[in-house]
Amino acid sequence: MALVLKEKPVFIIGPERSGTTMLMCMIGSHPRISVPEVTWFYPRFRPYLYSYGDIGQETNFHTLAEEMIFSLMVPFFGLRVNPRTVVGEVLAYVRERTFAGIFAAVIDWYRQTEGKPRWGEKTPANVFHIKAITEDFPNAQFIFIVRDGRDSSSEYLQGPFGPTNAFCAAETWRLWANAAKPWRATLDSRQWLDVRYEALVREPERTLRQ
């Protein structure tokens, strides 16, 4: 089943080392939009739902929810929680017993702590899961941020993760960029927005208003 949210969810995507975290922080500062830290739910869970069996069944659904909630790279998005009760607290926001239902519930749980009506999410690798995201959230909006490939590759080589040589860094950047091409051509301007990192840092207010 699909979740059509009244407040359209915003997915920030793009090659790593291209400013996705900076954009996440900027959009998350908007008074109406809450954007927590990365979840990595689509790369880590969506392709493997079959391994949980029928998630329409309570036990399977609860197992999936628990593993998603406890897998966050920043535990519980940095919120102070009781680990014994947090799963039940998150599941109180579930609208349907699906992967999308859990995904939205986790973000809604965080969103309500900020008192904002709308949410966004930033996982760079979601560029490879746009088909699944549009199936789960048909009115989702995507912001694809891209940076000059030479600068992104240089950042990779200086960073703590990712490619460790110039060739692999460039190929990684190209892989991300190519994954976006068919969706840029498929989704209209109401769902897809391209942002250049260079424009964002030079003219942040104009770019953010866009």
Side-chain angles (χ1 to χ4, degrees), residues 34-36 76-77 79 105-114:
S34 181
V35 188
F76 314 119
F77 298 132
L79 300 176
V106 172
I107 311 297
D108 275 332
W109 169 72
Y110 177 83
R111 173 188 60 76
Q112 61 83 29
T113 66
E114 296 194 328

Side-chain angles (χ1 to χ4, degrees), residues 31-97:
R32 297 191 76 256
I33 307 175
S34 181
V35 188
E37 271 288 352
V38 295
T39 67
W40 286 90
F41 286 164
Y42 273 91
R44 292 180 174 176
F45 291 95
R46 185 57 157 75
Y48 310 105
L49 292 181
Y50 67 89
S51 65
Y52 291 88
D54 179 8
I55 59 174
Q57 295 183 11
E58 176 64 26
T59 300
N60 297 339
F61 182 77
H62 193 279
T63 297
L64 174 61
E66 183 175 18
E67 292 190 5
M68 289 173 66
I69 292 165
F70 278 86
S71 76
L72 292 169
M73 293 180 64
V74 176
F76 314 119
F77 298 132
L79 300 176
R80 296 186 66 180
V81 304
N82 182 341
R84 293 178 64 87
T85 62
V86 66
V87 175
E89 293 168 9
V90 172
L91 291 183
Y93 291 89
V94 167
R95 306 170 193 227
E96 63 178 35
R97 291 181 176 276

Side-chain angles (χ1 to χ4, degrees), residues 77-78 103 116 177 208:
F77 298 132
F103 185 99
K116 298 180 181 182
L208 285 170

Side-chain angles (χ1 to χ4, degrees), residues 124-145:
N126 278 347
V127 69
F128 302 107
H129 300 272
I130 297 174
K131 181 177 184 295
I133 294 172
T134 55
E135 289 172 353
D136 293 341
F137 302 100
N139 65 343
Q141 295 180 309
F142 299 90
I143 302 176
F144 182 81
I145 183 169

